[in-house]
Coordinates of all heavy atoms in Angstrom, one line a residue:
M1 N 4.4 2.8 20.1 CA 4.7 2.0 18.9 C 6.2 1.6 18.8 O 7.0 2.5 19.0 CB 4.4 2.8 17.7 CG 3.0 2.7 17.2 SD 2.9 3.4 15.5 CE 1.3 3.0 15.1
N2 N 6.4 0.4 18.5 CA 7.8 0.0 18.4 C 8.2 0.1 16.9 O 7.4 0.3 16.0 CB 8.0 -1.4 19.0 CG 7.2 -2.5 18.2 OD1 6.9 -2.3 17.0 ND2 7.0 -3.6 18.8
K3 N 9.5 -0.1 16.7 CA 10.1 0.1 15.3 C 9.4 -0.9 14.3 O 9.1 -0.4 13.2 CB 11.6 -0.2 15.4 CG 12.4 0.0 14.2 CD 13.8 -0.2 14.6 CE 14.7 -0.5 13.4 NZ 16.0 -0.7 13.7
E4 N 9.2 -2.1 14.7 CA 8.6 -3.1 13.8 C 7.2 -2.6 13.4 O 6.8 -2.8 12.2 CB 8.5 -4.5 14.4 CG 9.9 -5.2 14.5 CD 10.5 -5.3 13.1 OE1 9.8 -5.7 12.1 OE2 11.7 -5.1 13.0
T5 N 6.4 -2.1 14.3 CA 5.0 -1.7 14.0 C 5.1 -0.5 13.1 O 4.2 -0.5 12.2 CB 4.3 -1.3 15.3 OG1 4.4 -2.5 16.2 CG2 2.8 -1.0 15.0
I6 N 6.0 0.4 13.3 CA 6.1 1.6 12.4 C 6.4 1.1 11.0 O 5.8 1.6 10.0 CB 7.1 2.6 12.9 CG1 6.6 3.2 14.2 CG2 7.5 3.6 11.9 CD1 7.5 4.0 15.0
W7 N 7.4 0.2 10.9 CA 7.8 -0.2 9.5 C 6.7 -1.0 8.9 O 6.5 -1.0 7.6 CB 9.1 -1.0 9.5 CG 10.3 0.0 9.5 CD1 11.0 0.3 10.5 CD2 10.6 0.8 8.4 NE1 12.0 1.2 10.1 CE2 11.7 1.5 8.7 CE3 10.2 0.8 7.0 CZ2 12.4 2.4 7.9 CZ3 10.9 1.7 6.2 CH2 11.9 2.4 6.6
L8 N 5.9 -1.8 9.6 CA 4.8 -2.5 9.1 C 3.7 -1.5 8.6 O 3.2 -1.7 7.5 CB 4.2 -3.4 10.2 CG 3.2 -4.4 9.7 CD1 3.7 -5.4 8.7 CD2 2.6 -5.2 10.9
A9 N 3.5 -0.4 9.3 CA 2.5 0.6 8.9 C 3.0 1.2 7.6 O 2.3 1.5 6.7 CB 2.4 1.6 10.0
I10 N 4.4 1.5 7.5 CA 5.0 2.1 6.3 C 4.7 1.1 5.1 O 4.4 1.6 4.0 CB 6.5 2.4 6.5 CG1 6.6 3.6 7.4 CG2 7.1 2.6 5.1 CD1 8.0 3.8 7.9
G11 N 4.9 -0.2 5.3 CA 4.7 -1.2 4.3 C 3.2 -1.2 3.8 O 3.0 -1.2 2.6
F12 N 2.3 -1.1 4.7 CA 0.9 -1.1 4.3 C 0.6 0.2 3.6 O -0.3 0.2 2.7 CB 0.0 -1.4 5.5 CG -0.2 -2.8 5.9 CD1 0.3 -3.3 7.1 CD2 -0.8 -3.7 5.0 CE1 0.2 -4.7 7.4 CE2 -0.9 -5.0 5.3 CZ -0.5 -5.5 6.5
L13 N 1.1 1.3 4.1 CA 0.8 2.6 3.4 C 1.4 2.6 2.0 O 0.7 3.0 1.1 CB 1.5 3.7 4.2 CG 1.5 5.1 3.5 CD1 0.1 5.6 3.4 CD2 2.3 6.1 4.3
G14 N 2.6 2.0 1.8 CA 3.1 1.9 0.4 C 2.2 1.0 -0.4 O 1.9 1.4 -1.6
Q15 N 1.7 0.0 0.1 CA 0.8 -0.9 -0.7 C -0.5 -0.3 -1.0 O -1.0 -0.4 -2.1 CB 0.6 -2.3 0.1 CG 0.0 -3.3 -0.7 CD 0.8 -3.7 -2.0 OE1 2.0 -4.0 -1.9 NE2 0.2 -3.6 -3.1
A16 N -1.0 0.5 -0.1 CA -2.3 1.2 -0.3 C -2.0 2.3 -1.4 O -2.9 2.4 -2.3 CB -2.7 2.0 1.0
L17 N -0.9 3.0 -1.4 CA -0.7 4.0 -2.4 C -0.5 3.3 -3.7 O -1.0 3.8 -4.8 CB 0.6 4.8 -2.0 CG 0.5 5.8 -0.9 CD1 1.9 6.3 -0.5 CD2 -0.4 7.0 -1.3
F18 N 0.2 2.3 -3.8 CA 0.5 1.6 -5.0 C -0.8 1.0 -5.5 O -1.0 1.0 -6.8 CB 1.5 0.4 -4.7 CG 2.2 -0.1 -5.9 CD1 3.1 0.7 -6.6 CD2 1.9 -1.3 -6.5 CE1 3.8 0.3 -7.7 CE2 2.5 -1.7 -7.6 CZ 3.5 -1.0 -8.2
S19 N -1.7 0.5 -4.7 CA -3.0 -0.1 -5.1 C -3.9 1.0 -5.6 O -4.7 0.7 -6.5 CB -3.6 -0.9 -4.0 OG -2.8 -2.0 -3.7
A20 N -3.8 2.2 -5.0 CA -4.7 3.3 -5.4 C -4.6 3.7 -6.8 O -5.5 4.2 -7.4 CB -4.4 4.5 -4.5
R21 N -3.4 3.4 -7.4 CA -3.2 3.8 -8.8 C -4.1 3.0 -9.7 O -4.6 3.6 -10.7 CB -1.7 3.5 -9.2 CG -1.3 2.1 -9.3 CD 0.2 1.9 -9.3 NE 0.4 0.5 -9.7 CZ 1.3 0.2 -10.6 NH1 2.0 1.1 -11.3 NH2 1.4 -1.1 -10.9
F22 N -4.4 1.8 -9.4 CA -5.4 1.0 -10.2 C -6.8 1.6 -10.1 O -7.5 1.6 -11.1 CB -5.3 -0.5 -9.8 CG -4.0 -1.1 -10.1 CD1 -3.2 -1.6 -9.0 CD2 -3.5 -1.2 -11.4 CE1 -2.0 -2.1 -9.3 CE2 -2.3 -1.8 -11.6 CZ -1.5 -2.3 -10.6
L23 N -7.1 2.0 -8.9 CA -8.5 2.6 -8.7 C -8.6 3.9 -9.6 O -9.5 4.1 -10.3 CB -8.8 2.9 -7.3 CG -10.1 3.5 -6.9 CD1 -11.2 2.6 -7.3 CD2 -10.1 3.8 -5.4
V24 N -7.6 4.7 -9.5 CA -7.5 6.0 -10.2 C -7.6 5.7 -11.7 O -8.4 6.3 -12.5 CB -6.3 6.8 -9.9 CG1 -6.0 7.9 -10.9 CG2 -6.3 7.3 -8.5
Q25 N -6.8 4.7 -12.2 CA -6.9 4.4 -13.6 C -8.2 3.8 -14.1 O -8.8 4.2 -15.1 CB -5.7 3.4 -14.0 CG -5.4 3.2 -15.4 CD -6.2 2.1 -16.0 OE1 -6.6 1.1 -15.4 NE2 -6.5 2.2 -17.3
W26 N -8.8 3.0 -13.3 CA -10.0 2.4 -13.6 C -11.2 3.4 -13.7 O -11.9 3.4 -14.7 CB -10.4 1.3 -12.6 CG -11.8 0.7 -12.7 CD1 -12.3 0.1 -13.8 CD2 -12.8 0.7 -11.7 NE1 -13.6 -0.3 -13.6 CE2 -13.9 0.1 -12.3 CE3 -12.9 1.2 -10.4 CZ2 -15.1 -0.1 -11.5 CZ3 -14.1 1.1 -9.7 CH2 -15.2 0.5 -10.3
L27 N -11.2 4.3 -12.7 CA -12.3 5.3 -12.7 C -12.1 6.3 -13.9 O -13.1 6.6 -14.5 CB -12.2 6.1 -11.4 CG -12.6 5.4 -10.2 CD1 -12.4 6.2 -8.9 CD2 -14.0 4.9 -10.2
K28 N -10.9 6.7 -14.2 CA -10.7 7.6 -15.4 C -11.0 6.8 -16.7 O -11.7 7.4 -17.6 CB -9.2 8.0 -15.4 CG -8.9 8.9 -16.5 CD -9.6 10.3 -16.3 CE -9.1 11.3 -17.3 NZ -9.7 12.6 -17.3
S29 N -10.7 5.6 -16.8 CA -11.0 4.8 -18.0 C -12.5 4.7 -18.2 O -13.0 4.7 -19.3 CB -10.3 3.4 -18.0 OG -8.9 3.6 -18.1
E30 N -13.2 4.4 -17.1 CA -14.7 4.3 -17.1 C -15.3 5.6 -17.6 O -16.2 5.6 -18.4 CB -15.2 3.9 -15.7 CG -15.0 2.4 -15.4 CD -15.7 1.5 -16.3 OE1 -16.9 1.8 -16.7 OE2 -15.1 0.4 -16.6
K31 N -14.8 6.7 -17.1 CA -15.3 8.0 -17.4 C -15.0 8.3 -18.9 O -15.9 8.8 -19.6 CB -14.6 9.1 -16.6 CG -15.1 10.5 -16.8 CD -14.5 11.5 -15.9 CE -15.0 12.9 -16.2 NZ -14.3 13.9 -15.4
E32 N -13.9 7.9 -19.4 CA -13.5 8.2 -20.8 C -14.0 7.1 -21.8 O -13.9 7.3 -23.0 CB -12.0 8.3 -20.9 CG -11.4 9.4 -20.1 CD -11.5 10.7 -20.7 OE1 -11.5 10.9 -21.9 OE2 -11.5 11.7 -20.0
K33 N -14.5 6.0 -21.2 CA -14.9 4.8 -22.0 C -13.8 4.3 -22.9 O -14.0 3.8 -24.0 CB -16.2 5.2 -22.9 CG -17.3 5.7 -22.2 CD -17.9 4.7 -21.3 CE -19.2 5.1 -20.6 NZ -19.3 4.6 -19.3
K34 N -12.6 4.4 -22.5 CA -11.4 3.8 -23.1 C -10.3 3.7 -22.1 O -10.3 4.3 -21.0 CB -10.9 4.6 -24.3 CG -10.5 6.0 -23.9 CD -10.0 6.8 -25.1 CE -9.6 8.2 -24.7 NZ -9.0 9.0 -25.9
S35 N -9.3 2.9 -22.4 CA -8.2 2.7 -21.5 C -7.4 4.0 -21.4 O -6.8 4.4 -22.4 CB -7.3 1.6 -21.9 OG -6.2 1.4 -20.9
V36 N -7.2 4.6 -20.2 CA -6.5 5.9 -20.0 C -5.7 5.7 -18.8 O -6.1 5.1 -17.8 CB -7.5 7.0 -19.8 CG1 -6.9 8.3 -19.5 CG2 -8.5 7.1 -21.0
F37 N -4.5 6.3 -18.8 CA -3.6 6.4 -17.7 C -3.4 7.9 -17.3 O -2.6 8.6 -17.9 CB -2.2 5.8 -18.0 CG -2.3 4.3 -18.1 CD1 -2.5 3.7 -19.4 CD2 -2.1 3.5 -17.0 CE1 -2.6 2.3 -19.5 CE2 -2.2 2.1 -17.1 CZ -2.4 1.5 -18.3
P38 N -4.2 8.3 -16.3 CA -4.1 9.7 -15.9 C -2.8 10.0 -15.2 O -2.2 9.0 -14.7 CB -5.3 9.9 -15.0 CG -5.6 8.6 -14.4 CD -5.2 7.6 -15.6
I39 N -2.4 11.2 -15.2 CA -1.1 11.6 -14.6 C -1.0 11.1 -13.1 O 0.0 10.7 -12.6 CB -0.8 13.1 -14.7 CG1 0.7 13.3 -14.4 CG2 -1.7 13.9 -13.8 CD1 1.2 14.7 -14.9
A40 N -2.2 11.1 -12.4 CA -2.3 10.7 -11.0 C -1.8 9.2 -10.9 O -1.2 8.8 -9.8 CB -3.7 10.8 -10.5
F41 N -2.0 8.4 -11.9 CA -1.6 7.0 -11.9 C 0.0 6.9 -11.7 O 0.4 6.1 -10.9 CB -1.9 6.3 -13.3 CG -1.4 4.9 -13.3 CD1 -2.2 3.8 -12.9 CD2 -0.2 4.6 -13.9 CE1 -1.8 2.6 -13.0 CE2 0.2 3.3 -14.0 CZ -0.5 2.2 -13.6
W42 N 0.7 7.8 -12.4 CA 2.1 7.8 -12.3 C 2.6 8.3 -10.9 O 3.6 7.9 -10.3 CB 2.8 8.5 -13.4 CG 2.4 7.9 -14.7 CD1 1.6 8.4 -15.7 CD2 2.7 6.5 -15.1 NE1 1.4 7.5 -16.7 CE2 2.0 6.3 -16.4 CE3 3.4 5.5 -14.6 CZ2 2.1 5.1 -17.1 CZ3 3.5 4.3 -15.2 CH2 2.8 4.1 -16.5
Y43 N 1.9 9.4 -10.4 CA 2.2 9.9 -9.1 C 2.0 8.9 -8.0 O 2.8 8.7 -7.1 CB 1.5 11.2 -8.8 CG 2.0 12.3 -9.5 CD1 1.2 13.1 -10.5 CD2 3.3 12.8 -9.3 CE1 1.8 14.2 -11.2 CE2 3.9 13.9 -10.0 CZ 3.1 14.6 -10.9 OH 3.6 15.6 -11.5
F44 N 0.8 8.1 -8.0 CA 0.6 7.1 -7.1 C 1.6 6.0 -7.2 O 2.1 5.4 -6.2 CB -0.8 6.5 -7.2 CG -1.9 7.3 -6.4 CD1 -2.8 8.1 -7.1 CD2 -1.9 7.3 -5.1 CE1 -3.7 8.8 -6.4 CE2 -2.8 8.0 -4.4 CZ -3.8 8.8 -5.1
S45 N 2.1 5.6 -8.4 CA 3.1 4.6 -8.7 C 4.4 5.0 -8.1 O 5.0 4.2 -7.4 CB 3.2 4.4 -10.2 OG 2.1 4.0 -10.8
I46 N 4.7 6.2 -8.2 CA 6.0 6.7 -7.6 C 5.9 6.7 -6.1 O 6.8 6.2 -5.4 CB 6.4 8.1 -8.2 CG1 6.8 7.9 -9.7 CG2 7.5 8.7 -7.4 CD1 6.8 9.2 -10.5
A47 N 4.8 7.3 -5.6 CA 4.7 7.4 -4.1 C 4.7 6.0 -3.5 O 5.4 5.7 -2.5 CB 3.5 8.2 -3.7
G48 N 3.9 5.1 -4.1 CA 3.9 3.8 -3.6 C 5.2 3.1 -3.7 O 5.6 2.3 -2.8
G49 N 5.8 3.2 -4.9 CA 7.1 2.5 -5.2 C 8.2 3.0 -4.2 O 9.0 2.2 -3.7
I50 N 8.3 4.3 -3.9 CA 9.3 4.8 -3.0 C 9.1 4.3 -1.6 O 10.0 3.8 -0.9 CB 9.3 6.4 -3.0 CG1 9.9 6.9 -4.3 CG2 10.1 6.9 -1.8 CD1 9.8 8.4 -4.5
T51 N 7.8 4.3 -1.2 CA 7.5 3.8 0.2 C 7.8 2.3 0.3 O 8.4 1.9 1.3 CB 6.0 4.1 0.5 OG1 5.7 5.4 0.2 CG2 5.7 3.7 2.0
L52 N 7.4 1.5 -0.7 CA 7.6 0.1 -0.7 C 9.1 -0.2 -0.8 O 9.6 -1.1 -0.2 CB 6.9 -0.6 -1.8 CG 5.4 -0.8 -1.6 CD1 4.7 -1.2 -2.8 CD2 5.1 -1.6 -0.4
L53 N 9.9 0.6 -1.6 CA 11.3 0.4 -1.6 C 12.0 0.6 -0.3 O 12.8 -0.1 0.1 CB 11.9 1.4 -2.7 CG 13.4 1.3 -2.8 CD1 13.9 -0.1 -3.2 CD2 13.9 2.4 -3.9
A54 N 11.5 1.7 0.4 CA 12.1 1.9 1.8 C 11.8 0.7 2.7 O 12.6 0.3 3.4 CB 11.4 3.2 2.3
Y55 N 10.5 0.2 2.6 CA 10.2 -1.0 3.4 C 11.1 -2.2 3.0 O 11.5 -2.9 3.8 CB 8.7 -1.3 3.2 CG 8.2 -2.5 3.9 CD1 8.0 -2.3 5.3 CD2 7.9 -3.6 3.4 CE1 7.5 -3.4 6.1 CE2 7.4 -4.7 4.1 CZ 7.2 -4.6 5.4 OH 6.8 -5.7 6.1
A56 N 11.2 -2.3 1.7 CA 12.0 -3.5 1.2 C 13.5 -3.4 1.7 O 14.1 -4.4 2.0 CB 12.0 -3.6 -0.3
I57 N 14.0 -2.1 1.7 CA 15.4 -1.9 2.2 C 15.5 -2.2 3.7 O 16.4 -2.9 4.1 CB 15.8 -0.5 1.9 CG1 16.1 -0.3 0.4 CG2 17.1 -0.2 2.6 CD1 16.2 1.1 -0.1
Y58 N 14.5 -1.8 4.4 CA 14.5 -2.0 5.8 C 14.4 -3.6 6.1 O 15.1 -4.1 6.9 CB 13.2 -1.4 6.5 CG 13.1 -1.8 7.9 CD1 13.9 -1.4 8.9 CD2 12.0 -2.8 8.3 CE1 13.7 -1.8 10.2 CE2 11.9 -3.2 9.6 CZ 12.7 -2.7 10.5 OH 12.6 -3.2 11.8
R59 N 13.6 -4.3 5.3 CA 13.5 -5.8 5.4 C 14.7 -6.5 4.8 O 14.8 -7.7 5.0 CB 12.2 -6.3 4.7 CG 11.0 -5.9 5.4 CD 10.8 -6.6 6.7 NE 9.6 -6.3 7.3 CZ 9.3 -6.7 8.6 NH1 10.2 -7.3 9.3 NH2 8.2 -6.3 9.2
Q60 N 15.5 -5.8 4.1 CA 16.7 -6.3 3.4 C 16.4 -7.5 2.5 O 17.0 -8.5 2.6 CB 17.8 -6.7 4.5 CG 18.3 -5.6 5.3 CD 19.3 -6.0 6.4 OE1 19.5 -7.2 6.6 NE2 19.9 -5.0 7.0
D61 N 15.3 -7.2 1.7 CA 14.8 -8.2 0.8 C 15.3 -7.8 -0.6 O 14.8 -6.9 -1.3 CB 13.3 -8.3 0.8 CG 12.8 -9.4 -0.1 OD1 13.3 -9.7 -1.1 OD2 11.6 -9.8 0.3
P62 N 16.4 -8.5 -1.1 CA 17.0 -8.1 -2.4 C 16.0 -8.2 -3.6 O 16.1 -7.5 -4.5 CB 18.2 -9.0 -2.6 CG 18.0 -10.1 -1.6 CD 17.1 -9.6 -0.5
V63 N 15.2 -9.2 -3.6 CA 14.2 -9.4 -4.7 C 13.2 -8.3 -4.7 O 13.0 -7.7 -5.8 CB 13.5 -10.8 -4.5 CG1 12.4 -10.9 -5.6 CG2 14.5 -11.9 -4.6
F64 N 12.7 -7.9 -3.6 CA 11.8 -6.8 -3.4 C 12.5 -5.5 -3.8 O 11.9 -4.6 -4.5 CB 11.3 -6.8 -2.0 CG 10.0 -6.1 -1.8 CD1 9.2 -5.6 -2.7 CD2 9.5 -5.8 -0.5 CE1 8.0 -4.9 -2.5 CE2 8.4 -5.2 -0.1 CZ 7.6 -4.7 -1.2
I65 N 13.6 -5.3 -3.4 CA 14.4 -4.1 -3.6 C 14.6 -3.8 -5.1 O 14.3 -2.8 -5.6 CB 15.8 -4.1 -2.9 CG1 15.6 -4.0 -1.4 CG2 16.7 -2.9 -3.4 CD1 16.8 -4.2 -0.5
V66 N 15.1 -4.9 -5.8 CA 15.4 -4.8 -7.2 C 14.0 -4.5 -8.0 O 14.0 -3.7 -8.9 CB 16.1 -6.1 -7.8 CG1 16.0 -6.1 -9.3 CG2 17.5 -6.2 -7.2
G67 N 12.9 -5.2 -7.6 CA 11.7 -5.0 -8.3 C 11.2 -3.6 -8.1 O 10.7 -3.0 -9.1
Q68 N 11.3 -3.1 -6.9 CA 10.7 -1.7 -6.7 C 11.6 -0.7 -7.4 O 11.2 0.3 -7.9 CB 10.6 -1.4 -5.2 CG 9.4 -2.1 -4.6 CD 8.1 -1.9 -5.3 OE1 7.7 -0.7 -5.6 NE2 7.3 -2.9 -5.5
A69 N 12.9 -0.9 -7.3 CA 13.8 0.1 -7.9 C 13.7 0.2 -9.4 O 13.6 1.2 -10.0 CB 15.3 -0.2 -7.5
A70 N 13.5 -1.0 -10.0 CA 13.4 -1.1 -11.5 C 12.0 -0.4 -11.9 O 12.0 0.4 -12.8 CB 13.4 -2.5 -12.0
G71 N 11.0 -0.7 -11.1 CA 9.7 -0.1 -11.3 C 9.7 1.4 -11.3 O 9.1 2.2 -12.1
L72 N 10.4 1.9 -10.3 CA 10.5 3.4 -10.1 C 11.2 4.1 -11.3 O 10.7 5.2 -11.7 CB 11.3 3.7 -8.8 CG 10.5 3.6 -7.5 CD1 11.5 3.7 -6.3 CD2 9.5 4.8 -7.4
F73 N 12.2 3.5 -11.8 CA 12.8 4.0 -13.1 C 11.7 4.2 -14.2 O 11.6 5.2 -14.8 CB 13.9 3.1 -13.5 CG 14.5 3.5 -14.8 CD1 15.3 4.6 -14.9 CD2 14.1 2.8 -16.0 CE1 15.8 5.1 -16.2 CE2 14.6 3.3 -17.2 CZ 15.5 4.4 -17.3
I74 N 10.9 3.1 -14.3 CA 9.8 3.1 -15.4 C 8.8 4.2 -15.1 O 8.4 4.9 -16.0 CB 9.3 1.7 -15.5 CG1 10.3 0.8 -16.1 CG2 8.0 1.8 -16.4 CD1 10.0 -0.7 -15.9
Y75 N 8.4 4.3 -13.8 CA 7.4 5.3 -13.4 C 7.8 6.7 -13.6 O 7.1 7.5 -14.2 CB 6.9 5.1 -12.0 CG 6.5 3.7 -11.6 CD1 6.8 3.2 -10.3 CD2 5.9 2.8 -12.5 CE1 6.5 1.9 -10.0 CE2 5.6 1.5 -12.1 CZ 5.9 1.1 -10.9 OH 5.6 -0.2 -10.5
F76 N 9.0 6.9 -13.2 CA 9.6 8.3 -13.5 C 9.7 8.6 -15.0 O 9.5 9.8 -15.4 CB 11.0 8.5 -12.8 CG 10.8 8.9 -11.3 CD1 11.2 8.0 -10.3 CD2 10.4 10.2 -10.9 CE1 11.1 8.4 -9.0 CE2 10.3 10.6 -9.6 CZ 10.7 9.6 -8.6
R77 N 10.1 7.6 -15.7 CA 10.3 7.9 -17.2 C 9.0 8.1 -17.8 O 8.9 9.0 -18.6 CB 11.0 6.6 -17.8 CG 11.3 6.8 -19.2 CD 12.5 7.7 -19.4 NE 12.9 7.7 -20.8 CZ 13.3 8.8 -21.5 NH1 13.5 9.9 -20.8 NH2 13.7 8.7 -22.7
N78 N 8.0 7.4 -17.5 CA 6.6 7.6 -18.0 C 6.1 8.9 -17.6 O 5.4 9.6 -18.4 CB 5.7 6.5 -17.6 CG 5.8 5.3 -18.5 OD1 5.8 5.4 -19.7 ND2 6.0 4.1 -17.9
L79 N 6.3 9.4 -16.4 CA 5.9 10.7 -15.9 C 6.6 11.8 -16.7 O 5.9 12.7 -17.2 CB 6.2 10.9 -14.5 CG 5.7 12.2 -13.9 CD1 4.2 12.4 -14.0 CD2 6.1 12.2 -12.3
Y80 N 7.9 11.6 -17.0 CA 8.6 12.5 -17.9 C 7.9 12.6 -19.2 O 7.8 13.7 -19.8 CB 10.1 12.0 -18.0 CG 10.8 12.8 -19.1 CD1 11.3 14.1 -18.9 CD2 10.9 12.2 -20.4 CE1 12.0 14.7 -20.0 CE2 11.6 12.9 -21.4 CZ 12.1 14.1 -21.2 OH 12.7 14.8 -22.2
F81 N 7.6 11.5 -19.8 CA 6.9 11.5 -21.2 C 5.6 12.2 -21.1 O 5.3 13.0 -22.0 CB 6.7 10.1 -21.7 CG 7.9 9.4 -22.1 CD1 8.2 8.1 -21.8 CD2 8.9 10.0 -22.9 CE1 9.3 7.4 -22.3 CE2 10.1 9.4 -23.3 CZ 10.3 8.0 -23.0
V82 N 4.8 12.0 -20.1 CA 3.6 12.7 -19.9 C 3.7 14.2 -19.8 O 3.1 15.0 -20.5 CB 2.8 12.1 -18.7 CG1 1.5 13.0 -18.4 CG2 2.3 10.7 -19.0
I83 N 4.6 14.6 -19.0 CA 4.9 16.1 -18.8 C 5.4 16.6 -20.1 O 5.0 17.8 -20.5 CB 5.8 16.3 -17.6 CG1 5.1 15.9 -16.3 CG2 6.3 17.7 -17.5 CD1 6.0 15.8 -15.0
H84 N 6.4 16.0 -20.7 CA 7.0 16.5 -21.9 C 5.9 16.6 -23.0 O 5.9 17.6 -23.7 CB 8.1 15.6 -22.4 CG 8.8 16.0 -23.5 ND1 9.7 17.1 -23.5 CD2 8.9 15.6 -24.8 CE1 10.2 17.3 -24.7 NE2 9.7 16.4 -25.5
E85 N 5.0 15.6 -23.2 CA 3.9 15.8 -24.2 C 3.0 16.9 -23.8 O 2.6 17.6 -24.7 CB 3.2 14.4 -24.2 CG 2.0 14.4 -25.2 CD 1.2 13.1 -25.2 OE1 1.5 12.2 -24.4 OE2 0.4 13.0 -26.0
Y86 N 2.6 17.0 -22.6 CA 1.8 18.2 -22.1 C 2.4 19.5 -22.5 O 1.7 20.4 -23.0 CB 1.5 18.1 -20.6 CG 0.7 19.2 -20.2 CD1 -0.7 19.2 -20.4 CD2 1.2 20.2 -19.4 CE1 -1.5 20.2 -19.9 CE2 0.4 21.3 -18.9 CZ -0.9 21.3 -19.2 OH -1.7 22.3 -18.7
K87 N 3.7 19.6 -22.2 CA 4.4 20.9 -22.5 C 4.4 21.2 -24.0 O 4.2 22.3 -24.5 CB 5.7 20.9 -22.0 CG 5.8 21.1 -20.5 CD 7.2 21.2 -20.0 CE 7.4 21.3 -18.5 NZ 8.7 21.3 -18.0
N88 N 4.6 20.2 -24.9 CA 4.6 20.3 -26.2 C 3.2 20.7 -26.8 O 3.1 21.5 -27.7 CB 5.0 19.1 -27.0 CG 6.6 18.9 -26.9 OD1 7.2 19.8 -26.6 ND2 7.0 17.6 -27.1
L89 N 2.2 20.1 -26.3 CA 0.8 20.4 -26.7 C 0.5 21.9 -26.2 O -0.2 22.6 -27.0 CB -0.2 19.5 -26.0 CG -0.2 18.1 -26.6 CD1 -1.2 17.1 -25.7 CD2 -0.6 18.0 -28.0
K90 N 0.9 22.3 -25.1 CA 0.7 23.7 -24.7 C 1.4 24.7 -25.5 O 0.8 25.8 -25.7 CB 1.1 23.9 -23.2 CG 0.0 24.1 -22.2 CD 0.6 24.3 -20.9 CE 0.2 25.6 -20.3 NZ 0.6 25.8 -19.0
A91 N 2.5 24.3 -26.0 CA 3.3 25.3 -26.8 C 2.8 25.4 -28.2 O 3.1 26.4 -28.8 CB 4.8 24.7 -26.9
Q92 N 2.0 24.6 -28.7 CA 1.4 24.6 -30.0 C 0.3 25.6 -30.2 O -0.5 26.0 -29.4 CB 0.9 23.2 -30.5 CG 2.0 22.3 -30.6 CD 1.5 20.9 -31.0 OE1 0.3 20.6 -31.2 NE2 2.4 19.9 -31.2

């Protein structure tokens, strides 16, 4: 495998991880019969976002880099809120 093929595989892996978050969210929402964002949604968002950011940096695409970096901030912040809420509920 050459370098380009490896980075292409990383890009597709990142896209697969990022897309999996929608499948996870959809299945959980169907089960709950309401719109739900399970914690796995945020983990898939972060994993896919980091992988796609690495790919964007490799490709030196500033638009893609800014988009993924901004998204990662939001995903980490939402994960923080979920974990913080869970800890507060457990403490009660």
Side-chain angles (χ1 to χ4, degrees):
M1 269 191 172
N2 65 23
K3 185 175 160 182
E4 287 298 317
T5 303
I6 290 169
W7 276 106
L8 191 58
I10 289 170
F12 277 117
L13 172 65
Q15 192 59 53
L17 289 168
F18 201 71
S19 296
R21 70 193 192 132
F22 295 115
L23 181 61
V24 166
Q25 192 271 332
W26 173 58
L27 293 173
K28 183 69 172 175
S29 293
E30 287 295 323
K31 183 178 179 183
E32 299 283 331
K33 301 295 186 213
K34 63 181 182 177
S35 183
V36 178
F37 289 90
I39 197 165
F41 178 88
W42 301 114
Y43 285 117
F44 275 109
S45 297
I46 290 167
I50 288 170
T51 308
L52 288 171
L53 179 59
Y55 181 73
I57 290 169
Y58 171 74
R59 290 287 179 195
Q60 299 179 351
D61 183 330
V63 174
F64 199 10
I65 291 168
V66 169
Q68 289 303 316
L72 279 170
F73 173 77
I74 294 166
Y75 309 145
F76 275 110
R77 186 71 174 148
N78 278 310
L79 183 59
Y80 166 81
F81 287 139
V82 170
I83 291 170
H84 185 71
E85 181 181 4
Y86 177 75
K87 285 181 181 178
N88 284 342
L89 288 174
K90 245 180 124 174
Q92 294 178 358

